[in-house]
Amino acid sequence: MPEILKVNNLSKSFGKVRAVHDLSFKVDQGEILGIIGPNGAGKTTLFNLISGEIKPDAGEVIFNGKDVAITQTFKKCRMGIARTYQIPRPFLNMTILENLLVGSIYGAGKSYKESKKQCVRILEKTGLSAKSGALVGTLPLLDRKRLELAKALATNPVLLLVDEVAGGLTEGEVEEFLRIIHGVRKEGVTVLWVEHIVMAMTKGPDRLLVMNFGRRLFVGRPDEAFNSPDVQKIYLGDED
Amino acid sequence: MTAKPIRLTFIVILLAFLVTMPLWASRYAVNVGLLVCLYVTLASMWNLLAGYSGMVSLGQQMFIGLGGYTLAVSSMYFGVPVYLSVLFGGFISVFLAVLISVSVFRMKGVYFAIGTWVIAEALGICFSNWGYVKYGMGMFIQPAYKLSMSGVYYAGLILCVSSVALVFLLLRSNLGLALMAIRDDDQASETLGVNIFRCKFICFLLSAFITGLAAGVLYLNAIFIQPFEAFGISWTVNLLFIVIIGGIGTVEGPILGAIIFVLLQQFLSEYVGYNLIIFGGITIGVIFFAPRGLVGTLQMKTGWELFPVRRQ
Ligand SMILES: Nc1ncnc2c1ncn2[C@@H]1O[C@H](COP(=O)(O)OP(=O)(O)OP(=O)(O)O)[C@@H](O)[C@H]1O
Ligand SMILES: [Mg+2]
């Protein structure tokens, strides 16, 4: 399997906080890499660095063989890097369909007509079909989380960054997201998935990257990760 | 949502009224109609920036002054036909917009507002110290004497209709979708592939072009141009008044706002010192009782829209 993403010695500090500290790892195409770590470990910052919203202090982000560490966010999206936000950031005064159209037209570069077809398919896949004309302001949390994923999918991603999409949901709802993400991977999309829920992280990813204080603590199969003494140590006394 | 046939009928009647106006209305009424048309145009362009693209400009007067002066210089000094001169005014405004975009686009929010204002003031000072345009004394725009009132009126009407149509079509286009997304959450829109700079740049240039054109027609009617008036902040203050009263971020708002503004201005022209106080009072009242403006508040309560821009 060819590598789709390679992160080399990536670092980013906010004042004295080393949010991401000399981090390196690789991801193969079509892989689901889970990312776990205590609060403040730097997971979201890592996503911000990969998606381009934050520029690194040092290091490389090699996507498809090219260093994109300082490429503009919208260009990265068009290259195929999509993300979801930990706290959903929908366009509140727009309908669900319009929310998706943005990604499909601008990110995937499709015509209005094609976009609409694609968005209808994604709405079905994410269980939002019935509400496609609703304004987002009226949606409950679960639908906003679905929408967050749907928007990212509308850009036709090669690499999908999922930031705690299942947080705060019931077990059944988490299972639903597991199914959706496995479905997405089947289509060839590579997924980086940050989540605190152990069930999702044991069933979902092929491998786990465990982060602590911005550093890489462990990389390997989920069962190995959860059995590793280092990993157990950082989670002891920590909430979940 | 208002049914389509009703909306169309309403628009057709309104257009018929405006198009036939010079045939039956008094010269004074046509002149008022012209002013309404021009203020609708100018306000729609300010609304495109402030209401839809998140660029609250306080410098629209730079394009008004430039449009006016281009008309004066090219028709007086070079004998260019007046309407062609008006067109030049539009192009020169776009040229200025391109020049300053590099610097003003680095500024956001209040800084953008102040930045555009400062540029307009600087231009006013330049023109008042420039012998070629007769310093602060200003210039006559004589060829305009020969124009018929209805000719100028129709020029204004064309601008008015095309600017409203342009905003409407633009909002229904893919660019409009991006603008809505940027307005709701600019960073999130960027992660979905929207090139924010490009979207704003297009709107900025369009706004400059049409504002420059409208200014030309405005000065056809004024016959005289002076730098501190032409590049004065009060232009944009008036547009602000119009758009806030009518409803910022709505297509119809600038239309209603401009009608109210021009009528009030005519009505208050005898009480020179008081009109600013009255305009200010009305604006505060509207902000207090109908924060989205008259049209915006009406739309929220009734769902009525003359120009619906939503995608089904
Ligand atoms: N924009 C910012 N400015 C200043 N500090 C920041 C910023 N973003 C993140 N940080 C800090 O960087 C560290 C890593 O934060 P980050 O959000 O990446 O953690 P996380 O692993 O996503 O945590 P969580 O599990 O709570 O989502 C934290 O100490 C945080 O306070
Ligand atoms: Mg986080």
Side-chain angles (χ1 to χ4, degrees):
Chain A
M1 278 284 181
E3 283 162 19
I4 191 84
L5 180 74
K6 214 165 129 186
V7 168
N8 291 334
N9 309 100
L10 199 64
S11 294
K12 176 72 197 179
S13 302
F14 300 105
K16 281 187 184 152
V17 180
R18 289 170 157 174
V20 170
H21 188 195
D22 199 23
L23 184 69
S24 303
F25 64 93
K26 295 175 191 172
V27 191
D28 287 338
Q29 186 171 2
E31 187 181 19
I32 300 180
L33 178 74
I35 302 175
I36 61 170
N39 293 112
K43 305 176 298 287
T44 299
T45 304
L46 172 64
F47 276 12
N48 287 337
L49 289 167
I50 297 174
S51 73
E53 284 152 272
I54 291 178
K55 306 289 178 254
D57 299 332
E60 296 174 321
V61 177
I62 313 267
F63 174 66
N64 255 337
K66 261 189 298 206
D67 185 5
V68 295
I70 53 165
T71 307
Q72 283 168 289
T73 304
F74 75 90
K75 285 189 187 153
K76 282 194 187 178
C77 170
R78 293 176 186 184
M79 293 163 97
I81 301 179
R83 74 167 296 171
T84 70
Y85 288 100
Q86 185 167 350
I87 296 159
R89 287 172 74 167
F91 305 119
L92 283 174
N93 300 304
M94 295 164 67
T95 65
I96 293 198
L97 177 65
E98 286 172 334
N99 267 265
L100 265 65
L101 282 171
V102 176
S104 187
I105 289 171
Y106 285 91
K110 292 187 185 278
S111 73
Y112 183 75
K113 248 191 183 159
E114 282 175 75
S115 294
K116 221 170 145 179
K117 272 192 223 152
Q118 189 205 20
C119 292
V120 168
R121 274 201 306 276
I122 293 172
L123 288 172
E124 268 165 27
K125 198 166 14 180
T126 48
L128 287 168
S129 294
K131 298 181 180 167
S132 98
L135 286 180
V136 177
T138 63
L139 293 181
L141 179 71
L142 174 63
D143 285 335
R144 289 192 190 204
K145 297 238 165 193
R146 285 178 169 140
L147 176 60
E148 200 55 29
L149 191 57
K151 270 165 64 193
L153 291 176
T155 65
N156 252 355
V158 175
L159 174 66
L160 177 64
L161 313 175
V162 181
D163 198 353
E164 297 203 32
V165 76
L169 301 183
T170 67
E171 194 163 322
E173 290 162 353
V174 175
E175 299 263 7
E176 184 191 327
F177 277 105
L178 265 168
R179 272 196 302 278
I180 297 173
I181 288 175
H182 276 133
V184 168
R185 183 260 287 279
K186 265 211 186 99
E187 293 167 19
V189 179
T190 309
V191 183
L192 298 196
W193 186 4
V194 170
E195 202 68 70
H196 281 299
I197 302 167
V198 176
M199 184 270 275
M201 286 292 100
T202 44
K203 287 190 185 173
D206 304 308
R207 286 189 306 149
L208 274 187
L209 164 65
V210 186
M211 288 178 68
N212 196 23
F213 294 116
R215 286 173 170 279
R216 163 178 156 170
L217 188 72
F218 186 92
V219 188
R221 287 209 321 269
D223 54 321
E224 290 170 358
F226 286 114
N227 288 327
S228 134
D230 285 345
V231 176
Q232 283 177 346
K233 201 159 66 193
I234 62 161
Y235 276 101
L236 265 174
D238 213 306
E239 355 83 327
D240 41 21
Chain B
M1 299 277 155
T2 322
K4 200 167 180 182
I6 302 179
R7 285 200 313 263
L8 284 179
T9 318
F10 189 83
I11 293 170
V12 168
I13 292 175
L14 193 67
L15 276 179
F17 173 85
L18 290 170
V19 169
T20 58
M21 205 170 165
L23 303 178
W24 47 263
S26 70
R27 200 184 152 81
Y28 171 74
V30 173
N31 197 30
V32 171
L34 170 64
L35 281 177
V36 170
C37 285
L38 291 174
Y39 274 105
V40 170
T41 309
L42 294 172
S44 292
M45 289 303 114
W46 187 77
N47 188 35
L48 177 61
L49 296 184
Y52 290 107
S53 319
M55 295 183 279
V56 181
S57 163
L58 287 180
Q60 290 300 85
Q61 65 274 17
M62 72 175 95
F63 306 121
I64 293 178
L66 217 52
Y69 267 103
T70 308
L71 167 73
V73 167
S74 69
S75 65
M76 290 295 292
Y77 292 173
F78 297 99
V80 177
V82 277
Y83 287 113
L84 198 58
S85 307
V86 170
L87 198 62
F88 284 168
F91 288 123
I92 299 259
S93 295
V94 174
F95 183 67
L96 174 70
V98 173
L99 276 186
I100 66 171
S101 62
V102 185
S103 55
V104 293
F105 274 56
R106 284 164 191 262
M107 307 181 221
K108 279 200 172 131
V110 181
Y111 296 98
F112 179 86
I114 294 172
T116 46
W117 183 7
V118 166
I119 291 171
E121 287 294 311
L123 271 175
I125 292 170
C126 286
F127 273 71
S128 65
N129 287 296
W130 191 14
Y132 186 67
V133 295
K134 309 248 163 64
Y135 303 106
M137 263 162 29
M139 291 177 69
F140 272 111
I141 308 171
Q142 262 162 355
Y145 277 127
K146 300 177 198 131
L147 298 176
S148 74
M149 182 66 218
S150 55
V152 180
Y153 171 79
Y154 283 123
L157 182 58
I158 290 171
L159 277 179
C160 167
V161 172
S162 22
S163 67
V164 173
L166 181 87
V167 171
F168 174 63
L169 293 175
L170 195 140
L171 292 178
R172 302 260 299 208
S173 74
N174 290 345
L175 178 59
L177 188 75
L179 290 178
M180 278 204 286
I182 294 171
R183 188 166 60 160
D184 276 4
D185 188 332
D186 56 351
Q187 198 182 3
S189 75
E190 220 181 334
T191 56
L192 292 176
V194 174
N195 181 347
I196 297 178
F197 176 85
R198 185 165 174 274
C199 293
K200 291 192 169 181
F201 188 62
I202 293 172
C203 292
F204 193 58
L205 296 197
L206 273 176
S207 166
F209 181 62
I210 295 187
T211 302
L213 291 181
V217 178
L218 207 92
Y219 276 104
L220 281 180
N221 204 34
I223 299 173
F224 196 70
I225 186 165
Q226 282 185 307
F228 286 116
E229 183 260 348
F231 291 100
I233 181 82
S234 61
W235 287 111
T236 302
V237 171
N238 290 345
L239 301 183
L240 218 126
F241 169 83
I242 292 172
V243 175
I244 287 176
I245 292 235
I248 191 164
T250 65
V251 183
E252 303 88 344
I255 304 176
L256 184 65
I259 295 172
I260 295 174
F261 173 77
V262 172
L263 291 182
L264 268 179
Q265 207 184 29
Q266 298 299 314
F267 186 68
L268 296 174
S269 57
E270 293 158 43
Y271 315 96
V272 178
Y274 295 102
N275 55 8
L276 268 181
I277 298 174
I278 292 172
F279 283 146
I282 292 175
T283 311
I284 291 168
V286 169
I287 290 175
F288 201 74
F289 292 108
R292 294 174 179 220
L294 296 176
V295 172
T297 306
L298 198 73
Q299 276 178 358
M300 201 174 58
K301 294 209 166 122
T302 64
W304 178 86
E305 273 181 316
L306 190 54
F307 300 104
V309 293
R310 221 161 256 309
R311 287 153 194 81
Q312 302 300 322

